[in-house]
Amino acid sequence: MPPGEEILVHARDLTKRFSGFTAVDRVNFDVRTGEAFGFLGPNGAGKTSTMKMIACSSPVTDGDLSVIGMDPRTQAAQIKARLGVVPQTDNLDAELTVLENLLMYARYFDIPMSVARPRAADLLAFMQLSERAKDQVEPLSGGMKRRLTIARALINEPELLILDEPTTGLDPQARHLLWERLYRLKQRGATLIITTHYMDEAEQLCDRLVVMDKAKIVAEGSPRELIERYSTREVLELRVPEAVRAGLMERLDGLAERIEELPDRYLLYAADGEQALEQVHAREIPTESALVRRATLEDVFLRLTGRSLVE
Amino acid sequence: MTAIARRAAAPPPASTGIVASLLRSRRLVQRNLLVYKRGWMVIFSGFFEPLFYLLGIGYGLGTLVGGVELADGRTVSYAAFVAPALLATASMNGAIAESIFNVFFKLNFSRTYDAILATPLGIREIAIGEMLWSLFRGTLYVFAFVLVMIGMGLVISPMLFFVIPVSILIGAAFSAAGLATTAYLRTVQDFDLPMGVVVMPMFLFSGTFFPISVYPQVIQLFMELTPLFHAVGLLRGLAVGIFGLHELWDLAYMVVFASIALWIALNRLEQRLIK
């Protein structure tokens, strides 16, 4: 089924307040069937709170939310029966084996054993965990635990899979394997909701995404659209000798649409990075190094949410 | 593999009634059975504690004490006096071992419940499920201990058979109380308060090893407020064949205590788990 035929998650003025602060402030978004929808944002932006409301594990404070056409306030059990949830921190059952984790989880969904057994075997194979079926969970690597958590979330053949920072803390190999598996799920038509603060992850996986900052959605679109809207096509990264820094911003003036001065380098946002670099040379500005690269979602992200550290 | 997004017919809606909820609770029992399949020795060990108390205190100390006079004037051996109280304590300890220690671990360290809450199961099913499990475990101990009592000739009344359901009720009450307590505990150190200041003194002083009539009036009244006092009174009555107003009041107390504890447990767990 092509994306866009049906709205699976619909949020209007969705709000989450904890005592004293607002974690999610009147956000609007729609997730359509078959798409991979991303929530980007720095820590504390409200991504996880939004995710938890969709997963019916955190009550909606205010606003409208519908998940698979149902209301989380009154139909949580019915919604949860059709969701797969991969939480930020693994919460596998450490007292059970790998296979038992899947089988027991199937029991929570009232899936008969005759159905659960072949399904669990399929999922273990899909997640490359078949050899570890009889092992305890604890000695598994981070990547394996993550894959098992995702396999567990798929045991009820969910219509919507919610992944909260699926690859945080994994090594590159484990991340790439996970991305590949998630991509395959997507190709089979799965609807995914993903939160992440890895821009490469969002660019790899998401058809559409929203950027959240300070409890609000600050931008929405496909990765490509966002880059076009909030950045230039290319970025020139310049490193210059310390002595040249004084007054350099004036000397660079006019060479790019936007210039950002960082403690260690200058970023020139320009449609054509090479051309900008030529002009830098033409103005006889000494450089230590110069790199022209395509603009990424990370540039968009930093522009929208700022460079200051969020603690 | 069966694709996740295949738009299969929607599964039947999860029903929300009490019966459906109870049925779903059994999943927690199944989970715990699966876990203990590998560690059944742990369960086994729980049976020995009351047995050793019975041998050590009931018989050992009993030789010094001699007989004990009951409310209706009969005199029974000290072992027969102590055995039902140890049964009540065993029910309490079994329930508490599960609902305080094991539930605390799952609540705070392994986050098992967070995972379960992502399924159609809710707080109510989890709480009831854990209670059912601790009752199941407690009932095993009760059966074993009653067999021992029969074997040693310590049951001197046909009311014996009521001992088993009543022990289960006692287990349920302490299980609910344990759950309610656990929902308030934050760190492992927090165990010291309920275990040291509530459970241990109750075990020693609420009529378990000697009648509370040895205390001054004020302390007697205070001990009568504790649930173990009523549990002991009730089981002792049944074991020696006395069921009067006093025992009826004990029974009523346990039912009310269990209900209030369960209500607190459900509310508090909801606050802990749903944010």
Side-chain angles (χ1 to χ4, degrees), chain B residues 91-267:
Chain B
S91 293
M92 173 178 81
N93 287 335
I96 284 177
E98 276 296 335
S99 64
I100 292 196
F101 294 103
N102 289 345
V103 171
F104 180 84
F105 174 75
K106 288 183 240 182
L107 198 59
N108 293 282
F109 296 118
S110 70
R111 304 162 61 90
T112 310
Y113 299 139
D114 288 336
I116 297 176
L117 282 175
T119 75
L121 300 182
I123 305 282
R124 187 167 58 172
E125 284 84 8
I126 290 176
I128 304 280
E130 290 290 10
M131 268 182 68
L132 285 177
W133 164 251
S134 79
L135 283 184
F136 172 76
R137 188 171 165 177
T139 307
L140 290 181
Y141 297 149
V142 169
F143 265 104
F145 199 76
V146 165
L147 285 178
V148 170
M149 283 171 73
I150 294 172
M152 292 182 170
L154 298 177
V155 179
I156 46 181
S157 149
M159 289 190 202
L160 156 75
F161 294 103
F162 293 109
V163 163
I164 288 169
V166 166
S167 299
I168 295 173
L169 167 69
I170 291 167
F174 283 107
S175 179
L179 274 183
T181 310
T182 310
Y184 283 95
L185 301 181
R186 292 281 170 183
T187 67
V188 177
Q189 283 76 33
D190 292 346
F191 285 142
D192 296 345
L193 190 69
M195 297 314 288
V197 181
V198 182
V199 175
M200 192 62 192
M202 266 205 309
F203 172 55
L204 289 174
F205 305 123
S206 52
T208 328
F209 298 106
F210 46 86
I212 63 162
S213 54
V214 302
Y215 299 130
Q217 193 71 36
V218 186
I219 299 185
Q220 278 190 40
L221 278 173
F222 179 73
M223 290 321 290
E224 283 194 34
L225 293 175
T226 67
L228 188 62
F229 169 81
H230 295 278
V232 167
L234 188 52
L235 284 185
R236 185 171 283 147
L238 292 171
V240 300
I242 301 174
F243 193 87
L245 264 183
H246 217 285
E247 284 70 25
L248 203 61
W249 157 232
D250 289 334
L251 186 63
Y253 177 100
M254 290 316 291
V255 172
V256 172
F257 175 75
S259 313
I260 294 175
L262 182 58
W263 184 80
I264 295 175
L266 287 174
N267 281 290

Side-chain angles (χ1 to χ4, degrees), chain A residues 58 80 93 105 110 157-158 189, chain B residues 2 4-5 27 31 115 117 275:
Chain A
S58 176
K80 288 194 286 181
D93 198 327
Y105 218 64
D110 279 332
E157 298 192 336
Chain B
T2 35
I4 77 151
R27 300 299 180 203
R31 179 213 168 260
L117 282 175
K275 291 194 184 86

Side-chain angles (χ1 to χ4, degrees), chain A:
Chain A
M1 175 178 289
E5 290 203 1
E6 190 186 338
I7 287 173
L8 217 50
V9 181
H10 171 82
R12 284 294 170 272
D13 294 329
L14 181 62
T15 300
K16 178 76 197 179
R17 270 190 296 273
F18 295 104
S19 52
F21 87 105
T22 305
V24 179
D25 191 6
R26 284 169 290 145
V27 301
N28 300 313
F29 59 88
D30 288 310
V31 180
R32 302 187 197 106
T33 310
E35 75 176 341
F37 190 88
F39 282 87
L40 261 68
N43 290 333
K47 306 183 303 280
T48 298
S49 295
T50 307
M51 218 68 353
K52 285 187 169 171
M53 285 191 281
I54 299 172
C56 304
S57 61
S58 176
V60 172
T61 311
D62 215 344
D64 291 330
L65 178 65
S66 124
V67 182
I68 320 179
M70 290 178 279
D71 183 353
R73 280 181 252 237
T74 53
Q75 295 167 290
Q78 288 94 319
I79 294 172
K80 288 194 286 181
R82 294 159 72 175
L83 293 185
V85 180
V86 179
Q88 206 173 101
T89 31
D90 289 319
N91 51 20
L92 294 162
D93 198 327
E95 295 182 280
L96 301 177
T97 65
V98 169
L99 179 63
E100 284 171 348
N101 257 283
L102 296 185
L103 294 179
M104 198 59 234
Y105 218 64
R107 306 302 282 152
Y108 297 142
F109 284 94
D110 279 332
I111 297 166
M113 269 313 205
S114 56
V115 178
R117 283 193 180 282
R119 205 181 277 177
D122 280 350
L123 285 168
L124 286 180
F126 179 63
M127 286 297 175
Q128 298 187 8
L129 287 167
S130 300
E131 289 80 48
R132 309 301 295 264
K134 293 209 169 359
D135 292 357
Q136 291 292 312
V137 165
E138 214 30 67
L140 297 184
S141 70
M144 287 177 166
K145 282 186 189 163
R146 214 70 195 126
R147 268 153 34 221
L148 180 57
T149 306
I150 297 176
R152 189 184 68 177
L154 295 173
I155 196 77
N156 59 325
E157 298 192 336
E159 287 161 60
L160 173 64
L161 183 62
I162 297 172
L163 302 123
D164 196 359
E165 297 188 11
T167 65
T168 299
L170 300 187
D171 62 35
Q173 286 83 358
R175 290 180 75 196
H176 282 274
L177 174 60
L178 212 53
W179 285 346
E180 188 251 324
R181 297 292 125 153
L182 290 175
Y183 185 72
R184 273 168 66 175
L185 283 175
K186 207 182 97 173
Q187 281 189 311
R188 288 174 189 168
T191 308
L192 308 178
I193 296 183
I194 302 163
T195 76
T196 184
H197 43 230
Y198 294 128
M199 299 308 120
D200 46 352
E201 183 158 286
E203 285 192 79
Q204 287 257 354
L205 294 173
C206 298
D207 300 311
R208 230 150 47 83
L209 52 91
V210 292
V211 179
M212 285 190 81
D213 190 35
K214 301 187 186 78
K216 287 180 185 293
I217 289 178
V218 292
E220 181 183 350
S222 71
R224 211 56 268 153
E225 282 167 11
L226 287 174
I227 291 169
E228 277 166 23
R229 202 178 319 150
Y230 294 100
S231 182
T232 51
R233 206 170 66 85
E234 292 185 334
V235 182
L236 168 61
E237 296 201 12
L238 276 187
R239 283 173 202 270
V240 297
E242 198 54 45
V244 186
R245 289 190 77 107
L248 188 61
M249 282 301 271
E250 287 86 68
R251 294 176 70 187
L252 291 172
D253 193 40
L255 294 190
E257 276 183 36
R258 190 161 64 88
I259 302 176
E260 199 173 356
E261 183 179 12
L262 299 181
D264 62 333
R265 67 209 145 113
Y266 291 81
L267 298 186
L268 283 74
Y269 296 88
D272 186 340
E274 289 296 343
Q275 202 194 340
L277 182 58
E278 275 169 31
Q279 286 178 288
V280 169
H281 291 319
R283 290 188 189 185
E284 294 178 336
I285 297 168
T287 57
E288 279 178 346
S289 70
L291 168 75
V292 175
R293 59 168 175 81
R294 282 173 67 94
T296 66
L297 212 44
E298 189 142 342
D299 299 308
V300 175
F301 183 83
L302 289 171
R303 174 161 188 196
L304 289 170
T305 63
R307 284 190 184 266
S308 56
L309 216 52
V310 183
E311 311 268 29

